Every structure is written in structure tokens, then in C-alpha cells.
Amino acid sequence: MKRNLNRIDGRTVLFLTVAACLVSFLSTNFFAHALYTIGFVILLCYYGIMGKAIGTFAVYILALLGLIFGTRYNIKFPSPLLFSMVYKLVLPMLPIYLLNQIPAGKLTASIRKLPISKKVMLVLIVMLRFAPTVVQEFRNVSEAMRVRGFLSGAVKVLRHPLNTLEYAVVPMVFRALTIADELSVSAIVRGIESPCKKESYHKSKIGIRDTILMIACTAAGIVCSIV
Amino acid sequence: MGKKINIRKLSFSYKRKSLQLDHINLSIKSGEVIVLTGPSGSGKSSLTRVINGLIPYFFNGELVGEVTIGEQNFDQMKSWERGQLVGNVFQDPRSQFFSNEVAGEIAFGCENYGYSHEEIRDRVHRAADSLKISNILERSLHELSYGMRQKVAIASAKALEPEIYVMDEPSANLDMESTYCFSEVIEELKRRGKTIIIAEHRLYYLEEIADRFICIENGAIKHEFSQEQMKELKDRDILQMGLRHSNLRRFTFHTLKSHKNAEVALEVKALSKAYDKLQVIREMNFSCNRGEVIALIGPNGTGKSTLGKVFAGLVKEDQGSISIFGKECKAKKRLGQVWYIPQDLDSQLFGEDLVDELITGRKNAEEQKEKAVRILKELELHDYAKQHPATLSGGQKQRLALGVALMYEAPIIILDEPTSGLDGANMRNVSRVIRALAGKGHTIIVITHDAECALSCCERAIRIEKGIITDDFQITDSEYFLARIGYP
């Protein structure tokens, strides 16, 4: 499975992510949307991310059922809007799992080959590097909040939403500043500012497999969006 | 022939602050291993930052004096030119990693310097071979222990084949075994004629490697010891200079007076916890009493922190029971009764100043202020009451975290690596506070690799390996404890 993942180019996964986002928000047909999602679930299983793919698909089914029954029987709680949001967000989540599995070095090498400006490229690279760290830091902050009883019950959180937000945001901001400094330092001392042309440890090349995947994804996406 | 580093009349201050470095004159021969030590905030890290060029390039301030490497003046070099000459290893490898897998991380520097794909692969494999980590090149960095991550950080620096290595507290998060593996790496670099400058509090693993120990205080070089002179330092001198011991066998051990009473504070029966297929805690049984201070020791990645989080109710156990003062408690009920203080305290700071930190989230906050002030006085933090918690030093933050636990009157406190990155004086200060809290009836579990801290404040040690208790003993002599923590 890992071997399969090594054969896919980072640009292909970025393309799949954009395609999934577009189809999810343009498609109005439940059936077509579900088929496109199933296609991604199969793709993830092929790349060895079966557990997450099936779990996420289960959430998708629940959201879809919630949406159908909620609108048909005029159920107000939980809100159909909530189900609709989950339903729309599941599909883009699937290629993001794939993106997460690709070595960061390989992804960076792929991004460097994209026809985009250097500034946008840098933002993309830093975002991809920073996202897992922020998630980890958020986990640490939420643990501290639980120890102090800031998250001791839904009622408390709902009664003081601004306080809860403040407790979460203040340490996150401090940590983010520190981490940003540490990362910048680490990059500078390893020559990030060197102006020379850069090559990579990972070879970045779009192969036949990538081309087929992108064409299939585009064709299916167009069909799903117009039916 | 390598390059000599010459530092002449070097002074530095961050914007509008007091001098961080004050007239430093230092000459480092090629192939020397130099240890910079001294109290936290004394200027060690600032000096390493001058040597690797981050001062004044990244950390702005006023720098006067001269730094030359060989014939080159450091001022006139570009940041990336310095990067090829000086390799860097920092305290926490997590925050210096740019990749999520080992090979990509080692390759990061080489990629920046425009080497060809083949040259990058060759350098990565050579660096990994020399550190014996070729078998983990495809693994995710998140799966690795601290020791392995530090090896990856060194390999990443080594792939660029620099002449000089600068390391800032590289052992702070390592267990004893990983620390000695790391010292072998330094020895190997020394054999290859590399110049190594290490800013460090823990000195025991460097006693036989370092050529000189330079003690910095208030930004100035106060003492300089050769390897032999360092070995001859008396306990009294070490305490006076606020250092840690360069040989843990020379630590003067006193059996601690126990504050333990008959009341069982925490009792664990058949406790198990697994993540996916990895069994982190296996069928664990033990108990501790009110007033006891226990060191939880064992290698990196063996389940100590998970155990602490399970006790505190942050992680749910899979099987078994946990009782607090005789009453079985589920995870939710343990929250707040067992207080877990993690190693990284920056993500725990919620207040605008120290009093606010203690009363944030408390009912009747105004009425609690008096109590908060009393606790700050007890912990000798009252002088900093108006400061933002994030501006405190590591030792002060640790005491503040204990203060929060006192504010909430938590009877059981778990500290995860409380003295990591602390100098000798601060380590002893935190240890003293822990003893004082035990005297007031708190039960304290200290998860630590720090032998000096454990010997200073713990009366009992529990050793864990692969989720099982492998030893549980009263600390009555330092020799046995040191053997169990892995000191050779």
C-alpha cells in the first residue's frame, strides 16, 4: 500500500483535493455526489487508508440520512443545516487524508514545480508544515483546559462561549509565535534563504498513473456537477 | 586543518534590555569540544546564536565586537553561507523539523543548497549510515522517541558536512540511555576533527568528552575549567555556581525525611491502556500514600506520560480501576483531583499576570485574589506578580504551575519532566518546593529522567519499561537509584 502511495505525485493529490472541493459544492444531485464520494473511498482504500476512509464514509451516510429525514419530516434539532455542512465537508476531507500521508518533502518538491508565484508557494509550504503542529498544540491546550475545569460540561461552555474561546486562543497564540520563531530559526540555519536552484530528495514527476487519475477525476467531476 | 573561532570584545543586548553578552573574549581551536554552562538566562544561548549567526540576523539587537571563523569575518557572510559552515542541533527536535518523515528531514538542508537529486540522496544515506538510522529513513518523525529524533536532527546537520557544530541543550529531553548514545555521536564527531560548542546544563555525559567547560554568568565568562579541573570541583563550588554535577556519583545524597502517612492517596489495580495495537500500560498495580513523593523513571517512550495522563483522567483507561483516597473514580471524576502538569508549560498559561493566572476560571475570582497572593509568596513568585506568565523563566513557570494546582487544592500532583532544561539552582529550587508541598500533605509523582532532581526530592522510585513496573523501591542510597536509571 505504501508503495502505491509512493507512486502518486503531490500535484495529483493537490488536484484531487481541489476537484473534490469543487464537486462537493457544485453538485446538486445526492446520487451523483454519493457516487463521487464512494470513488474517493475506494481510492483511499487502494492507498492503504481504509480505516479512516470507511469511518469518514459512515459519517457521510449519517449526515445524508439526517439531511433527508430532517427535511422530509421537518425535524428542527439537530438542524438540517448542520447535516448539510457535514455532508458537504466529508468529500473534501477524503483527499486531505491522502495529502496527509504523503511525505512533506515530496509534497514540497511537487509544490515547487507548480506554476504559482514564490510567495504563494511559501505560504502553501508553511501552511502544510504548520497544520499538524497547530493540531498538536491545540490538543495540549485543551488538555490544560480540561484539567482546570474550563471544559467541564457543555452547559458551562455554552453559557460562557467567549471565555472558552479566550482560554483556547491566548495560549495558542503564544505557542504559535514561539513555534514560528523556532521553525524560522531552523530553516535559516539550514540555508532556506540560499538563492540557488533547488532539487529534492524525492523525484517529482507526473506519470501515466497520475494523468489517468486526474482525467478520471475531472470527467467524473463534470458529470456529477451537471446532472 | 580546520578553522579557529575567535570572539573578541563581544557584547550584545536585545533591544532596550540589559547586556546579554558582556565583553566576551573566547578562542576556540579547531577540533575542540567546548561546553558553555551557567544559570538559565546567563547568555549561553545568546553566545551560540552569535556563533551560528542568528544574532543579529534573526534576533535583533545591538552587537559590538568581532567574530571570525578562520580568516572570515562572520559579519560579512550571508545567512546561507554560515549555514554550510556551522551545523545546529536545538533542544527540542520537534520544533526544528520541517518534514514529517526522516529522509526528507535529513535532506532539508541539502535541498536548500542546490545539490543535485543524486547528491542529496547520497548525503542523506551517508549521514544516516554514520548515525545508524538508515533503517528508519521512511518512518514518520512522530513515531520516533526523543532520542531517535535528536539523532535525526544531528544527521540533518551532518548531511551538510559542516566543520563546526553548535548545540543548544541537546540532552534536555533525553533519557539516560539516549543521552549516552548522543555522547557517543559527539565523541565520533570529535574524532573526525569537528569543532563542537554545546550550551548545556546537564554535564555528566560530557565530563569525559569536553576539553573545556566555560561558565557564563550575567553575560560574562566567570570561570573556565579544563576537563581535569572540572572533575576536581567540590560539591560546595558546584552549588555556589548554580551548576549541575559533572559526575552524578559525586552528588552528595541525603536520605529524605518522609512526610508519608498511612492514608492511601492513589491505588491502581490491573490498569491497562493501549493505543491501536500498542499496549502502553499492562496490568499495572500499585498504590501511594498521602505525603509521598515518587519518581516515575524509565526509558523515553515507555508509557510514563500516558500513565500520568490516565491518573489525571485526561486519558481513559481500557481496563482496571483507579481509586483516590479509597474511592474508585472514573476518568471524569479524577480531573482536578489528580493534577497533571505537562513538560511544555507554554500551552498552559491563560492569565494576563501571575495573580490572574491563578484565579482565571475560578468562581468568586475577586475573593480568591488573597489566596493567590499568599500562594505566590509561598512559591517566591510574588516579586513577578505583575509580569505576564509567558515571560517567566523555566523554573519560575514550573513553580507557577504548582501554584495553580495549590489554588485548586489538588491533593495529588503529577509533574512531567519538571526540571528539563533547568540549571542546577532552579532544579534544586523546584525540588525544594516539591518537598515543601509533600510536607503539607500533597502526594506528588515526578516523571523524570533527571537523576539529580529525583535524588533531591523523591523518597521512592517506580521504574517502568514497556508499560510494566520493573522495580519499585525506596531511595535509600544513590548508587542503586543511579543504576536503575541507567547511569553507567
Side-chain angles (χ1 to χ4, degrees), chain B residues 212-424:
Chain B
R212 279 188 288 161
F213 292 84
I214 290 164
C215 299
I216 300 179
E217 264 180 59
N218 300 322
I221 295 178
K222 280 280 146 76
H223 309 278
E224 187 178 320
F225 302 111
S226 67
Q227 199 182 83
E228 289 68 34
Q229 287 170 324
M230 194 71 195
K231 286 179 185 172
E232 282 161 16
L233 275 186
K234 299 274 180 294
D235 215 28
R236 186 186 33 157
D237 302 323
I238 288 169
L239 294 180
Q240 210 166 40
M241 288 187 278
L243 301 181
R244 283 166 175 261
H245 288 78
S246 64
N247 183 330
L248 297 180
R249 294 219 158 72
R250 290 201 291 270
F251 178 91
T252 314
F253 173 74
H254 303 284
T255 307
L256 299 165
K257 183 182 167 245
S258 180
H259 300 295
K260 169 183 167 181
N261 68 22
E263 194 179 5
V264 176
L266 183 73
E267 190 174 20
V268 172
K269 285 181 186 161
L271 189 75
S272 292
K273 174 72 196 169
Y275 286 118
D276 294 326
K277 286 174 190 163
L278 183 69
Q279 193 72 37
V280 190
I281 304 165
R282 296 163 200 260
E283 295 278 323
M284 196 174 277
N285 295 292
F286 92 100
S287 67
C288 55
N289 291 22
R290 189 188 277 274
E292 252 189 313
V293 184
I294 301 168
L296 206 57
I297 59 173
N300 280 125
T302 199
K304 302 188 297 295
S305 294
T306 304
L307 187 61
K309 287 182 183 180
V310 170
F311 289 164
L314 289 167
V315 172
K316 267 187 195 166
E317 62 276 16
D318 294 337
Q319 281 170 23
S321 68
I322 298 174
S323 304
I324 296 170
F325 296 109
K327 202 173 168 190
E328 195 177 323
C329 293
K330 296 281 172 213
K332 254 190 178 176
K333 287 273 173 203
R334 297 197 295 272
L335 278 170
Q337 286 199 76
V338 183
W339 197 271
Y340 177 77
I341 301 175
Q343 185 178 350
D344 169 27
L345 294 171
D346 283 339
S347 50
Q348 319 284 310
L349 306 173
F350 300 97
E352 286 172 16
D353 57 42
L354 304 201
V355 175
D356 192 38
E357 182 63 34
L358 297 193
I359 63 173
T360 295
R362 303 287 290 161
K363 280 178 192 162
N364 310 320
E366 282 306 310
E367 291 164 29
Q368 300 271 347
K369 266 189 183 170
E370 208 174 304
K371 186 179 174 186
V373 170
R374 184 171 46 78
I375 289 172
L376 288 179
K377 278 182 183 161
E378 268 175 34
L379 297 172
E380 294 169 21
L381 287 170
H382 192 247
D383 290 347
Y384 315 98
K386 297 272 179 244
Q387 278 184 226
H388 191 283
T391 62
L392 297 179
S393 73
Q396 289 164 344
K397 276 183 200 165
Q398 201 59 247
R399 280 183 277 148
L400 181 65
L402 280 167
V404 178
L406 293 183
M407 196 72 197
Y408 282 73
E409 293 166 2
I412 303 165
I413 302 170
I414 299 171
L415 294 124
D416 200 344
E417 293 291 353
T419 53
S420 155
L422 298 194
D423 60 46

Side-chain angles (χ1 to χ4, degrees), chain B residues 165-179:
Chain B
Y165 286 81
V166 171
M167 304 182 181
D168 195 358
E169 294 190 43
S171 79
N173 297 310
L174 302 184
D175 62 26
M176 201 63 86
E177 194 189 336
S178 307
T179 304

Side-chain angles (χ1 to χ4, degrees), chain B residues 49-66:
Chain B
R49 285 169 181 173
V50 171
I51 297 170
N52 61 23
L54 288 168
I55 285 180
Y57 181 71
F58 185 80
F59 298 102
N60 304 134
E62 199 180 327
L63 182 75
V64 288
E66 192 183 55

